[in-house]
Amino acid sequence: TQLLEQSPQFLSIQEGENLTVYCNSSSVFSSLQWYRQEPGEGPVLLVTVVTGGEVKKLKRLTFQFGDARKDSSLHITAAQPGDTGLYLCAGAQAAGNKLTFGGGTRVLVKP
Amino acid sequence: DTAVSQTPKYLVTQMGNDKSIKCEQNLGHDTMYWYKQDSKKFLKIMFSYNNKELIINETVPNRFSPKSPDKAHLNLHINSLELGDSAVYFCASSRGFWAGETQYFGPGTRLLVL
């Protein structure tokens, strides 16, 4: 079993719909990050959350860090085809920056 | 300007061969990483160097040997390649090794061992 479990593994929606991706663990993380990876490229950081209960918004994307710092969610409002990609959550457990990645959620937004 | 670059982008080789992948970052970062992404897209840390010093060395076969000649470069040499080594290898860098620092990833090297 992975330290960070992402769900769902795959999500296919129509343009304009909302979606939520979850990242869950039984372990506590000092920080949690969300990355998006497009085919043939490396992951690109979307956000870092460090405080339990923290909510961050980036345009149509809303990120939440659980109160206990064990889980996180990514919500996309009115998804667009440009949101298509592999979404990865990654957590650091100690003071250092050693990241443990979740298994990823592949999102497909159809026009 | 490319922030983190890797060469080659594609590498196809026979089992048993030795190969190297090179990584360079022009961001002035102190910390560099090597990750392996398998066919199911699972990304796993292999090594990390901070100021040319090895600070993360995960459970990786000793056929894999990283080398950091200076802060801007981190190379990965793989001896006696096996079929299971086929994957995409990503290099990344960050300003430092503090938790939450942004890691900037290279475009990846797609290794196929036949």
Side-chain angles (χ1 to χ4, degrees), chain A residues 7-102:
Chain A
S7 62
Q9 290 185 335
F10 179 70
L11 200 50
S12 177
I13 60 171
Q14 292 296 134
E15 183 176 1
E17 293 181 342
N18 302 333
L19 67 96
T20 302
V21 178
Y22 299 94
C23 178
N24 295 304
S25 177
S26 57
S27 301
V28 176
F29 292 93
S30 56
S31 66
L32 198 135
Q33 299 178 323
W34 285 92
Y35 289 80
R36 182 168 70 207
Q37 184 180 12
E38 300 193 17
E41 299 180 10
V44 176
L45 180 71
L46 295 173
V47 79
T48 300
V49 285
V50 298
T51 305
E54 183 176 2
V55 177
K56 278 192 175 178
K57 291 191 176 183
L58 292 174
K59 297 182 181 178
R60 295 176 294 101
L61 277 61
T62 302
F63 304 86
Q64 190 160 6
F65 201 13
D67 291 341
R69 306 210 314 274
K70 293 181 179 181
D71 53 80
S72 181
S73 64
L74 156 61
H75 182 79
I76 302 179
T77 304
Q80 299 175 359
D83 296 325
T84 293
L86 177 69
Y87 289 82
L88 297 160
C89 66
Q93 285 192 286
N97 206 19
K98 176 184 167 183
L99 290 180
T100 298
F101 278 82

